[in-house]
PDB file of all heavy atoms in Angstrom:
ATOM      1  N   GLU A   6      -0.973   6.706   7.677  1.00  0.00           N
ATOM      2  CA  GLU A   6      -2.133   5.906   7.000  1.00  0.00           C
ATOM      3  C   GLU A   6      -1.845   5.362   5.731  1.00  0.00           C
ATOM      4  O   GLU A   6      -2.119   4.331   5.332  1.00  0.00           O
ATOM      5  CB  GLU A   6      -3.281   6.958   6.863  1.00  0.00           C
ATOM      6  CG  GLU A   6      -4.023   7.267   8.251  1.00  0.00           C
ATOM      7  CD  GLU A   6      -5.176   8.272   8.111  1.00  0.00           C
ATOM      8  OE1 GLU A   6      -5.317   8.868   6.997  1.00  0.00           O
ATOM      9  OE2 GLU A   6      -5.856   8.523   8.996  1.00  0.00           O
ATOM     10  N   ARG A   7      -1.018   6.186   4.941  1.00  0.00           N
ATOM     11  CA  ARG A   7      -0.584   5.713   3.645  1.00  0.00           C
ATOM     12  C   ARG A   7       0.324   4.404   3.866  1.00  0.00           C
ATOM     13  O   ARG A   7       0.151   3.406   3.078  1.00  0.00           O
ATOM     14  CB  ARG A   7       0.302   6.783   2.918  1.00  0.00           C
ATOM     15  CG  ARG A   7       0.768   6.444   1.454  1.00  0.00           C
ATOM     16  CD  ARG A   7       1.499   7.559   0.781  1.00  0.00           C
ATOM     17  NE  ARG A   7       0.849   8.741   0.731  1.00  0.00           N
ATOM     18  CZ  ARG A   7       1.052   9.831   1.418  1.00  0.00           C
ATOM     19  NH1 ARG A   7       2.083   9.857   2.295  1.00  0.00           N
ATOM     20  NH2 ARG A   7       0.250  10.894   1.285  1.00  0.00           N
ATOM     21  N   ALA A   8       1.255   4.461   4.785  1.00  0.00           N
ATOM     22  CA  ALA A   8       2.121   3.312   5.007  1.00  0.00           C
ATOM     23  C   ALA A   8       1.260   2.110   5.482  1.00  0.00           C
ATOM     24  O   ALA A   8       1.494   0.995   5.165  1.00  0.00           O
ATOM     25  CB  ALA A   8       3.101   3.585   6.103  1.00  0.00           C
ATOM     26  N   ASP A   9       0.377   2.366   6.500  1.00  0.00           N
ATOM     27  CA  ASP A   9      -0.633   1.267   7.026  1.00  0.00           C
ATOM     28  C   ASP A   9      -1.501   0.665   6.025  1.00  0.00           C
ATOM     29  O   ASP A   9      -1.661  -0.566   6.132  1.00  0.00           O
ATOM     30  CB  ASP A   9      -1.439   1.820   8.225  1.00  0.00           C
ATOM     31  CG  ASP A   9      -0.599   2.148   9.429  1.00  0.00           C
ATOM     32  OD1 ASP A   9       0.655   1.887   9.482  1.00  0.00           O
ATOM     33  OD2 ASP A   9      -1.061   2.948  10.349  1.00  0.00           O
ATOM     34  N   PHE A  10      -1.954   1.592   5.150  1.00  0.00           N
ATOM     35  CA  PHE A  10      -2.899   1.000   4.102  1.00  0.00           C
ATOM     36  C   PHE A  10      -2.121   0.120   3.075  1.00  0.00           C
ATOM     37  O   PHE A  10      -2.749  -0.807   2.444  1.00  0.00           O
ATOM     38  CB  PHE A  10      -3.777   2.118   3.477  1.00  0.00           C
ATOM     39  CG  PHE A  10      -5.122   1.738   3.061  1.00  0.00           C
ATOM     40  CD1 PHE A  10      -6.236   1.801   3.881  1.00  0.00           C
ATOM     41  CD2 PHE A  10      -5.288   1.305   1.745  1.00  0.00           C
ATOM     42  CE1 PHE A  10      -7.362   1.415   3.605  1.00  0.00           C
ATOM     43  CE2 PHE A  10      -6.573   0.868   1.427  1.00  0.00           C
ATOM     44  CZ  PHE A  10      -7.619   0.988   2.256  1.00  0.00           C
ATOM     45  N   GLY A  11      -1.024   0.533   2.838  1.00  0.00           N
ATOM     46  CA  GLY A  11      -0.207  -0.298   1.853  1.00  0.00           C
ATOM     47  C   GLY A  11      -0.502   0.144   0.417  1.00  0.00           C
ATOM     48  O   GLY A  11      -0.870   1.184   0.017  1.00  0.00           O
ATOM     49  N   PRO A  12      -0.243  -0.902  -0.515  1.00  0.00           N
ATOM     50  CA  PRO A  12      -0.294  -0.557  -2.006  1.00  0.00           C
ATOM     51  C   PRO A  12      -1.554  -0.239  -2.507  1.00  0.00           C
ATOM     52  O   PRO A  12      -1.773   0.174  -3.645  1.00  0.00           O
ATOM     53  CB  PRO A  12       0.197  -1.921  -2.624  1.00  0.00           C
ATOM     54  CG  PRO A  12      -0.073  -2.987  -1.562  1.00  0.00           C
ATOM     55  CD  PRO A  12       0.213  -2.237  -0.311  1.00  0.00           C
ATOM     56  N   ASP A  13      -2.766  -0.430  -1.734  1.00  0.00           N
ATOM     57  CA  ASP A  13      -3.997  -0.091  -2.253  1.00  0.00           C
ATOM     58  C   ASP A  13      -4.478   1.208  -1.757  1.00  0.00           C
ATOM     59  O   ASP A  13      -5.574   1.777  -2.229  1.00  0.00           O
ATOM     60  CB  ASP A  13      -5.020  -1.111  -1.559  1.00  0.00           C
ATOM     61  CG  ASP A  13      -4.997  -2.520  -2.216  1.00  0.00           C
ATOM     62  OD1 ASP A  13      -4.515  -2.580  -3.362  1.00  0.00           O
ATOM     63  OD2 ASP A  13      -5.255  -3.437  -1.522  1.00  0.00           O
ATOM     64  N   TYR A  14      -3.540   2.094  -1.217  1.00  0.00           N
ATOM     65  CA  TYR A  14      -3.872   3.414  -0.920  1.00  0.00           C
ATOM     66  C   TYR A  14      -3.971   4.275  -2.182  1.00  0.00           C
ATOM     67  O   TYR A  14      -3.095   4.126  -3.129  1.00  0.00           O
ATOM     68  CB  TYR A  14      -2.614   4.017  -0.117  1.00  0.00           C
ATOM     69  CG  TYR A  14      -2.869   5.369   0.389  1.00  0.00           C
ATOM     70  CD1 TYR A  14      -3.535   5.622   1.698  1.00  0.00           C
ATOM     71  CD2 TYR A  14      -2.377   6.523  -0.230  1.00  0.00           C
ATOM     72  CE1 TYR A  14      -3.829   6.851   2.204  1.00  0.00           C
ATOM     73  CE2 TYR A  14      -2.696   7.810   0.209  1.00  0.00           C
ATOM     74  CZ  TYR A  14      -3.304   7.956   1.414  1.00  0.00           C
ATOM     75  OH  TYR A  14      -3.563   9.217   1.903  1.00  0.00           O
ATOM     76  N   GLN A  15      -4.885   5.069  -2.189  1.00  0.00           N
ATOM     77  CA  GLN A  15      -5.199   5.829  -3.331  1.00  0.00           C
ATOM     78  C   GLN A  15      -4.816   7.196  -3.123  1.00  0.00           C
ATOM     79  O   GLN A  15      -5.413   8.069  -2.627  1.00  0.00           O
ATOM     80  CB  GLN A  15      -6.788   5.921  -3.663  1.00  0.00           C
ATOM     81  CG  GLN A  15      -7.448   4.546  -3.809  1.00  0.00           C
ATOM     82  CD  GLN A  15      -8.906   4.659  -4.093  1.00  0.00           C
ATOM     83  OE1 GLN A  15      -9.459   5.623  -4.597  1.00  0.00           O
ATOM     84  NE2 GLN A  15      -9.531   3.681  -3.738  1.00  0.00           N
ATOM     85  N   ASP A  16      -3.589   7.481  -3.585  1.00  0.00           N
ATOM     86  CA  ASP A  16      -2.811   8.854  -3.363  1.00  0.00           C
ATOM     87  C   ASP A  16      -3.256   9.819  -4.414  1.00  0.00           C
ATOM     88  O   ASP A  16      -2.919   9.739  -5.442  1.00  0.00           O
ATOM     89  CB  ASP A  16      -1.386   8.798  -3.322  1.00  0.00           C
ATOM     90  CG  ASP A  16      -0.720   9.917  -2.718  1.00  0.00           C
ATOM     91  OD1 ASP A  16      -1.400  10.987  -2.574  1.00  0.00           O
ATOM     92  OD2 ASP A  16       0.385   9.802  -2.416  1.00  0.00           O
ATOM     93  N   HIS A  17      -4.231  10.756  -3.945  1.00  0.00           N
ATOM     94  CA  HIS A  17      -4.673  11.831  -4.916  1.00  0.00           C
ATOM     95  C   HIS A  17      -3.990  13.193  -4.629  1.00  0.00           C
ATOM     96  O   HIS A  17      -4.375  14.120  -5.232  1.00  0.00           O
ATOM     97  CB  HIS A  17      -6.237  11.904  -4.653  1.00  0.00           C
ATOM     98  CG  HIS A  17      -6.952  10.768  -5.124  1.00  0.00           C
ATOM     99  ND1 HIS A  17      -7.449  10.721  -6.438  1.00  0.00           N
ATOM    100  CD2 HIS A  17      -7.310   9.546  -4.517  1.00  0.00           C
ATOM    101  CE1 HIS A  17      -8.270   9.632  -6.548  1.00  0.00           C
ATOM    102  NE2 HIS A  17      -8.144   8.900  -5.521  1.00  0.00           N
ATOM    103  N   GLY A  18      -2.955  13.131  -3.686  1.00  0.00           N
ATOM    104  CA  GLY A  18      -2.286  14.347  -3.353  1.00  0.00           C
ATOM    105  C   GLY A  18      -3.150  15.366  -2.650  1.00  0.00           C
ATOM    106  O   GLY A  18      -2.826  16.543  -2.802  1.00  0.00           O
ATOM    107  N   VAL A  19      -4.138  14.983  -1.978  1.00  0.00           N
ATOM    108  CA  VAL A  19      -4.977  15.912  -1.249  1.00  0.00           C
ATOM    109  C   VAL A  19      -4.814  15.914   0.308  1.00  0.00           C
ATOM    110  O   VAL A  19      -4.232  14.886   0.820  1.00  0.00           O
ATOM    111  CB  VAL A  19      -6.557  15.707  -1.504  1.00  0.00           C
ATOM    112  CG1 VAL A  19      -6.813  15.880  -3.058  1.00  0.00           C
ATOM    113  CG2 VAL A  19      -7.012  14.245  -1.077  1.00  0.00           C
ATOM    114  N   LEU A  20      -4.961  16.981   0.918  1.00  0.00           N
ATOM    115  CA  LEU A  20      -4.769  17.109   2.264  1.00  0.00           C
ATOM    116  C   LEU A  20      -5.827  16.478   3.172  1.00  0.00           C
ATOM    117  O   LEU A  20      -5.560  15.989   4.263  1.00  0.00           O
ATOM    118  CB  LEU A  20      -4.601  18.568   2.698  1.00  0.00           C
ATOM    119  CG  LEU A  20      -4.089  18.960   4.061  1.00  0.00           C
ATOM    120  CD1 LEU A  20      -2.715  18.317   4.347  1.00  0.00           C
ATOM    121  CD2 LEU A  20      -4.071  20.464   4.229  1.00  0.00           C
ATOM    122  N   PHE A  21      -7.033  16.548   2.654  1.00  0.00           N
ATOM    123  CA  PHE A  21      -8.171  15.874   3.449  1.00  0.00           C
ATOM    124  C   PHE A  21      -8.730  14.768   2.643  1.00  0.00           C
ATOM    125  O   PHE A  21      -9.229  14.894   1.494  1.00  0.00           O
ATOM    126  CB  PHE A  21      -9.168  16.869   3.768  1.00  0.00           C
ATOM    127  CG  PHE A  21      -8.554  17.983   4.591  1.00  0.00           C
ATOM    128  CD1 PHE A  21      -8.215  19.224   4.046  1.00  0.00           C
ATOM    129  CD2 PHE A  21      -8.343  17.749   5.988  1.00  0.00           C
ATOM    130  CE1 PHE A  21      -7.716  20.217   4.840  1.00  0.00           C
ATOM    131  CE2 PHE A  21      -7.805  18.767   6.729  1.00  0.00           C
ATOM    132  CZ  PHE A  21      -7.401  20.027   6.184  1.00  0.00           C
ATOM    133  N   CYS A  22      -8.696  13.581   3.271  1.00  0.00           N
ATOM    134  CA  CYS A  22      -9.082  12.320   2.559  1.00  0.00           C
ATOM    135  C   CYS A  22      -9.579  11.186   3.633  1.00  0.00           C
ATOM    136  O   CYS A  22      -9.372  11.399   4.834  1.00  0.00           O
ATOM    137  CB  CYS A  22      -8.066  11.808   1.625  1.00  0.00           C
ATOM    138  SG  CYS A  22      -6.484  11.490   2.453  1.00  0.00           S
ATOM    139  N   TRP A  23     -10.118  10.152   3.071  1.00  0.00           N
ATOM    140  CA  TRP A  23     -10.515   9.021   3.902  1.00  0.00           C
ATOM    141  C   TRP A  23      -9.199   8.313   4.160  1.00  0.00           C
ATOM    142  O   TRP A  23      -8.074   8.541   3.638  1.00  0.00           O
ATOM    143  CB  TRP A  23     -11.508   8.136   3.196  1.00  0.00           C
ATOM    144  CG  TRP A  23     -12.725   8.818   2.793  1.00  0.00           C
ATOM    145  CD1 TRP A  23     -13.292   9.016   1.588  1.00  0.00           C
ATOM    146  CD2 TRP A  23     -13.682   9.232   3.749  1.00  0.00           C
ATOM    147  NE1 TRP A  23     -14.379   9.549   1.587  1.00  0.00           N
ATOM    148  CE2 TRP A  23     -14.782   9.837   2.968  1.00  0.00           C
ATOM    149  CE3 TRP A  23     -13.769   9.397   5.153  1.00  0.00           C
ATOM    150  CZ2 TRP A  23     -15.841  10.469   3.558  1.00  0.00           C
ATOM    151  CZ3 TRP A  23     -14.909  10.033   5.706  1.00  0.00           C
ATOM    152  CH2 TRP A  23     -15.906  10.510   4.975  1.00  0.00           C
ATOM    153  N   GLU A  24      -9.233   7.318   5.097  1.00  0.00           N
ATOM    154  CA  GLU A  24      -7.941   6.521   5.562  1.00  0.00           C
ATOM    155  C   GLU A  24      -7.331   5.828   4.293  1.00  0.00           C
ATOM    156  O   GLU A  24      -6.064   5.546   4.393  1.00  0.00           O
ATOM    157  CB  GLU A  24      -8.287   5.478   6.518  1.00  0.00           C
ATOM    158  CG  GLU A  24      -8.771   6.089   7.857  1.00  0.00           C
ATOM    159  CD  GLU A  24     -10.188   6.446   7.848  1.00  0.00           C
ATOM    160  OE1 GLU A  24     -10.978   6.304   6.913  1.00  0.00           O
ATOM    161  OE2 GLU A  24     -10.653   6.956   8.900  1.00  0.00           O
ATOM    162  N   ASN A  25      -8.084   5.539   3.231  1.00  0.00           N
ATOM    163  CA  ASN A  25      -7.501   4.882   2.121  1.00  0.00           C
ATOM    164  C   ASN A  25      -6.922   5.901   1.032  1.00  0.00           C
ATOM    165  O   ASN A  25      -6.519   5.452  -0.073  1.00  0.00           O
ATOM    166  CB  ASN A  25      -8.511   3.987   1.403  1.00  0.00           C
ATOM    167  CG  ASN A  25      -9.699   4.655   0.757  1.00  0.00           C
ATOM    168  OD1 ASN A  25      -9.890   5.847   0.993  1.00  0.00           O
ATOM    169  ND2 ASN A  25     -10.495   3.926   0.060  1.00  0.00           N
ATOM    170  N   GLY A  26      -6.972   7.129   1.223  1.00  0.00           N
ATOM    171  CA  GLY A  26      -6.467   8.173   0.554  1.00  0.00           C
ATOM    172  C   GLY A  26      -7.515   8.810  -0.481  1.00  0.00           C
ATOM    173  O   GLY A  26      -7.274   9.826  -1.160  1.00  0.00           O
ATOM    174  N   LYS A  27      -8.628   8.180  -0.584  1.00  0.00           N
ATOM    175  CA  LYS A  27      -9.730   8.742  -1.392  1.00  0.00           C
ATOM    176  C   LYS A  27     -10.295   9.993  -0.951  1.00  0.00           C
ATOM    177  O   LYS A  27     -10.793  10.020   0.260  1.00  0.00           O
ATOM    178  CB  LYS A  27     -10.624   7.601  -1.731  1.00  0.00           C
ATOM    179  CG  LYS A  27     -11.850   7.956  -2.741  1.00  0.00           C
ATOM    180  CD  LYS A  27     -12.766   6.908  -2.924  1.00  0.00           C
ATOM    181  CE  LYS A  27     -13.934   7.387  -3.882  1.00  0.00           C
ATOM    182  NZ  LYS A  27     -14.933   6.317  -4.042  1.00  0.00           N
ATOM    183  N   PRO A  28     -10.365  10.913  -1.794  1.00  0.00           N
ATOM    184  CA  PRO A  28     -11.019  12.279  -1.244  1.00  0.00           C
ATOM    185  C   PRO A  28     -12.454  12.087  -1.094  1.00  0.00           C
ATOM    186  O   PRO A  28     -13.131  11.442  -1.798  1.00  0.00           O
ATOM    187  CB  PRO A  28     -10.692  13.255  -2.439  1.00  0.00           C
ATOM    188  CG  PRO A  28     -10.408  12.455  -3.559  1.00  0.00           C
ATOM    189  CD  PRO A  28      -9.934  11.152  -3.164  1.00  0.00           C
ATOM    190  N   PRO A  29     -13.117  12.701  -0.005  1.00  0.00           N
ATOM    191  CA  PRO A  29     -14.560  12.650   0.168  1.00  0.00           C
ATOM    192  C   PRO A  29     -15.231  13.567  -0.926  1.00  0.00           C
ATOM    193  O   PRO A  29     -14.651  14.456  -1.522  1.00  0.00           O
ATOM    194  CB  PRO A  29     -14.766  13.338   1.558  1.00  0.00           C
ATOM    195  CG  PRO A  29     -13.560  14.179   1.727  1.00  0.00           C
ATOM    196  CD  PRO A  29     -12.466  13.643   0.912  1.00  0.00           C
ATOM    197  N   HIS A  30     -16.478  13.026  -1.331  1.00  0.00           N
ATOM    198  CA  HIS A  30     -17.228  13.799  -2.242  1.00  0.00           C
ATOM    199  C   HIS A  30     -17.546  15.127  -1.557  1.00  0.00           C
ATOM    200  O   HIS A  30     -17.971  15.129  -0.338  1.00  0.00           O
ATOM    201  CB  HIS A  30     -18.554  13.013  -2.528  1.00  0.00           C
ATOM    202  CG  HIS A  30     -19.316  13.533  -3.707  1.00  0.00           C
ATOM    203  ND1 HIS A  30     -20.101  14.573  -3.616  1.00  0.00           N
ATOM    204  CD2 HIS A  30     -19.280  13.086  -4.931  1.00  0.00           C
ATOM    205  CE1 HIS A  30     -20.667  14.856  -4.710  1.00  0.00           C
ATOM    206  NE2 HIS A  30     -20.226  13.972  -5.630  1.00  0.00           N
ATOM    207  N   PRO A  31     -17.515  16.276  -2.327  1.00  0.00           N
ATOM    208  CA  PRO A  31     -17.798  17.636  -1.742  1.00  0.00           C
ATOM    209  C   PRO A  31     -19.206  17.561  -1.059  1.00  0.00           C
ATOM    210  O   PRO A  31     -19.340  18.314   0.045  1.00  0.00           O
ATOM    211  CB  PRO A  31     -17.633  18.576  -2.871  1.00  0.00           C
ATOM    212  CG  PRO A  31     -16.869  17.776  -3.880  1.00  0.00           C
ATOM    213  CD  PRO A  31     -17.050  16.387  -3.746  1.00  0.00           C
ATOM    214  N   ASP A  32     -20.093  16.810  -1.578  1.00  0.00           N
ATOM    215  CA  ASP A  32     -21.575  16.896  -0.973  1.00  0.00           C
ATOM    216  C   ASP A  32     -21.467  16.294   0.454  1.00  0.00           C
ATOM    217  O   ASP A  32     -22.322  16.625   1.281  1.00  0.00           O
ATOM    218  CB  ASP A  32     -22.528  16.106  -1.827  1.00  0.00           C
ATOM    219  CG  ASP A  32     -22.902  16.987  -3.097  1.00  0.00           C
ATOM    220  OD1 ASP A  32     -22.662  18.232  -3.185  1.00  0.00           O
ATOM    221  OD2 ASP A  32     -23.458  16.414  -4.057  1.00  0.00           O
ATOM    222  N   THR A  33     -20.572  15.287   0.655  1.00  0.00           N
ATOM    223  CA  THR A  33     -20.457  14.815   1.996  1.00  0.00           C
ATOM    224  C   THR A  33     -20.016  15.912   2.905  1.00  0.00           C
ATOM    225  O   THR A  33     -20.640  15.972   4.105  1.00  0.00           O
ATOM    226  CB  THR A  33     -19.435  13.576   1.997  1.00  0.00           C
ATOM    227  OG1 THR A  33     -19.757  12.657   1.050  1.00  0.00           O
ATOM    228  CG2 THR A  33     -19.217  13.016   3.356  1.00  0.00           C
ATOM    229  N   ILE A  34     -19.160  16.748   2.637  1.00  0.00           N
ATOM    230  CA  ILE A  34     -18.686  17.788   3.474  1.00  0.00           C
ATOM    231  C   ILE A  34     -19.843  18.808   3.786  1.00  0.00           C
ATOM    232  O   ILE A  34     -20.107  19.199   4.937  1.00  0.00           O
ATOM    233  CB  ILE A  34     -17.457  18.547   2.882  1.00  0.00           C
ATOM    234  CG1 ILE A  34     -16.348  17.601   2.593  1.00  0.00           C
ATOM    235  CG2 ILE A  34     -16.999  19.589   3.919  1.00  0.00           C
ATOM    236  CD1 ILE A  34     -15.877  16.730   3.814  1.00  0.00           C
ATOM    237  N   THR A  35     -20.551  19.069   2.629  1.00  0.00           N
ATOM    238  CA  THR A  35     -21.699  19.986   2.760  1.00  0.00           C
ATOM    239  C   THR A  35     -22.756  19.514   3.761  1.00  0.00           C
ATOM    240  O   THR A  35     -23.242  20.198   4.591  1.00  0.00           O
ATOM    241  CB  THR A  35     -22.318  20.304   1.472  1.00  0.00           C
ATOM    242  OG1 THR A  35     -21.205  20.859   0.558  1.00  0.00           O
ATOM    243  CG2 THR A  35     -23.448  21.241   1.529  1.00  0.00           C
ATOM    244  N   ARG A  36     -23.108  18.115   3.548  1.00  0.00           N
ATOM    245  CA  ARG A  36     -24.122  17.505   4.443  1.00  0.00           C
ATOM    246  C   ARG A  36     -23.649  17.548   5.794  1.00  0.00           C
ATOM    247  O   ARG A  36     -24.522  17.846   6.745  1.00  0.00           O
ATOM    248  CB  ARG A  36     -24.460  16.138   3.953  1.00  0.00           C
ATOM    249  CG  ARG A  36     -25.302  16.015   2.773  1.00  0.00           C
ATOM    250  CD  ARG A  36     -25.798  14.612   2.569  1.00  0.00           C
ATOM    251  NE  ARG A  36     -24.678  13.655   2.470  1.00  0.00           N
ATOM    252  CZ  ARG A  36     -24.081  13.316   1.274  1.00  0.00           C
ATOM    253  NH1 ARG A  36     -24.475  13.827   0.279  1.00  0.00           N
ATOM    254  NH2 ARG A  36     -23.130  12.391   1.378  1.00  0.00           N
ATOM    255  N   ARG A  37     -22.487  17.206   6.134  1.00  0.00           N
ATOM    256  CA  ARG A  37     -21.994  17.223   7.566  1.00  0.00           C
ATOM    257  C   ARG A  37     -22.025  18.655   8.246  1.00  0.00           C
ATOM    258  O   ARG A  37     -22.315  18.818   9.272  1.00  0.00           O
ATOM    259  CB  ARG A  37     -20.559  16.602   7.629  1.00  0.00           C
ATOM    260  CG  ARG A  37     -20.612  15.156   7.326  1.00  0.00           C
ATOM    261  CD  ARG A  37     -19.341  14.488   7.550  1.00  0.00           C
ATOM    262  NE  ARG A  37     -19.398  13.019   7.382  1.00  0.00           N
ATOM    263  CZ  ARG A  37     -18.414  12.256   7.610  1.00  0.00           C
ATOM    264  NH1 ARG A  37     -17.333  12.603   8.187  1.00  0.00           N
ATOM    265  NH2 ARG A  37     -18.642  11.011   7.292  1.00  0.00           N
ATOM    266  N   PHE A  38     -21.583  19.612   7.245  1.00  0.00           N
ATOM    267  CA  PHE A  38     -21.645  21.015   7.804  1.00  0.00           C
ATOM    268  C   PHE A  38     -22.954  21.400   8.159  1.00  0.00           C
ATOM    269  O   PHE A  38     -23.336  22.013   9.301  1.00  0.00           O
ATOM    270  CB  PHE A  38     -20.974  22.036   6.814  1.00  0.00           C
ATOM    271  CG  PHE A  38     -21.093  23.447   7.246  1.00  0.00           C
ATOM    272  CD1 PHE A  38     -20.246  23.999   8.109  1.00  0.00           C
ATOM    273  CD2 PHE A  38     -22.140  24.214   6.858  1.00  0.00           C
ATOM    274  CE1 PHE A  38     -20.298  25.163   8.583  1.00  0.00           C
ATOM    275  CE2 PHE A  38     -22.267  25.479   7.221  1.00  0.00           C
ATOM    276  CZ  PHE A  38     -21.291  26.013   8.107  1.00  0.00           C
ATOM    277  N   LYS A  39     -23.996  21.071   7.228  1.00  0.00           N
ATOM    278  CA  LYS A  39     -25.423  21.500   7.555  1.00  0.00           C
ATOM    279  C   LYS A  39     -25.858  20.705   8.820  1.00  0.00           C
ATOM    280  O   LYS A  39     -26.629  21.397   9.647  1.00  0.00           O
ATOM    281  CB  LYS A  39     -26.224  21.065   6.356  1.00  0.00           C
ATOM    282  CG  LYS A  39     -26.000  22.057   5.200  1.00  0.00           C
ATOM    283  CD  LYS A  39     -26.885  21.645   4.041  1.00  0.00           C
ATOM    284  CE  LYS A  39     -26.706  22.717   2.741  1.00  0.00           C
ATOM    285  NZ  LYS A  39     -27.491  22.272   1.580  1.00  0.00           N
ATOM    286  N   LYS A  40     -25.405  19.639   9.160  1.00  0.00           N
ATOM    287  CA  LYS A  40     -25.836  18.889  10.334  1.00  0.00           C
ATOM    288  C   LYS A  40     -25.344  19.719  11.631  1.00  0.00           C
ATOM    289  O   LYS A  40     -26.037  19.791  12.559  1.00  0.00           O
ATOM    290  CB  LYS A  40     -25.363  17.467  10.487  1.00  0.00           C
ATOM    291  CG  LYS A  40     -26.244  16.554   9.526  1.00  0.00           C
ATOM    292  CD  LYS A  40     -25.761  15.045   9.851  1.00  0.00           C
ATOM    293  CE  LYS A  40     -26.681  14.160   8.950  1.00  0.00           C
ATOM    294  NZ  LYS A  40     -26.119  12.699   9.189  1.00  0.00           N
ATOM    295  N   LEU A  41     -24.009  20.097  11.436  1.00  0.00           N
ATOM    296  CA  LEU A  41     -23.336  20.852  12.620  1.00  0.00           C
ATOM    297  C   LEU A  41     -24.074  22.207  12.726  1.00  0.00           C
ATOM    298  O   LEU A  41     -24.318  22.561  13.876  1.00  0.00           O
ATOM    299  CB  LEU A  41     -21.947  21.014  12.269  1.00  0.00           C
ATOM    300  CG  LEU A  41     -21.073  19.747  12.435  1.00  0.00           C
ATOM    301  CD1 LEU A  41     -19.650  19.963  11.932  1.00  0.00           C
ATOM    302  CD2 LEU A  41     -21.030  19.281  13.884  1.00  0.00           C
ATOM    303  N   ALA A  42     -24.412  22.830  11.547  1.00  0.00           N
ATOM    304  CA  ALA A  42     -25.035  24.068  11.715  1.00  0.00           C
ATOM    305  C   ALA A  42     -26.471  23.970  12.379  1.00  0.00           C
ATOM    306  O   ALA A  42     -26.870  24.872  13.175  1.00  0.00           O
ATOM    307  CB  ALA A  42     -25.075  24.711  10.286  1.00  0.00           C
ATOM    308  N   ALA A  43     -27.129  22.895  12.070  1.00  0.00           N
ATOM    309  CA  ALA A  43     -28.469  22.682  12.555  1.00  0.00           C
ATOM    310  C   ALA A  43     -28.322  22.524  14.072  1.00  0.00           C
ATOM    311  O   ALA A  43     -29.318  22.771  14.856  1.00  0.00           O
ATOM    312  CB  ALA A  43     -29.193  21.524  11.865  1.00  0.00           C
ATOM    313  N   ALA A  44     -27.211  21.927  14.500  1.00  0.00           N
ATOM    314  CA  ALA A  44     -26.941  21.603  15.886  1.00  0.00           C
ATOM    315  C   ALA A  44     -26.500  22.902  16.663  1.00  0.00           C
ATOM    316  O   ALA A  44     -26.248  22.754  17.864  1.00  0.00           O
ATOM    317  CB  ALA A  44     -25.967  20.564  16.163  1.00  0.00           C
TER     318      ALA A  44
END
C-alpha cells in the first residue's frame, strides 16, 4: 500500500491504518466494535 500510494503516503509507523497510512481515530474503532457487538 505504501508503494502503491506513493509520496503522499502518511507513514505514522503504526500497524493498523487506512490505505494512505493515516491511523484511524480511536472512536472509529470503538463505534465499529459496538456495531459488531450489537450484531
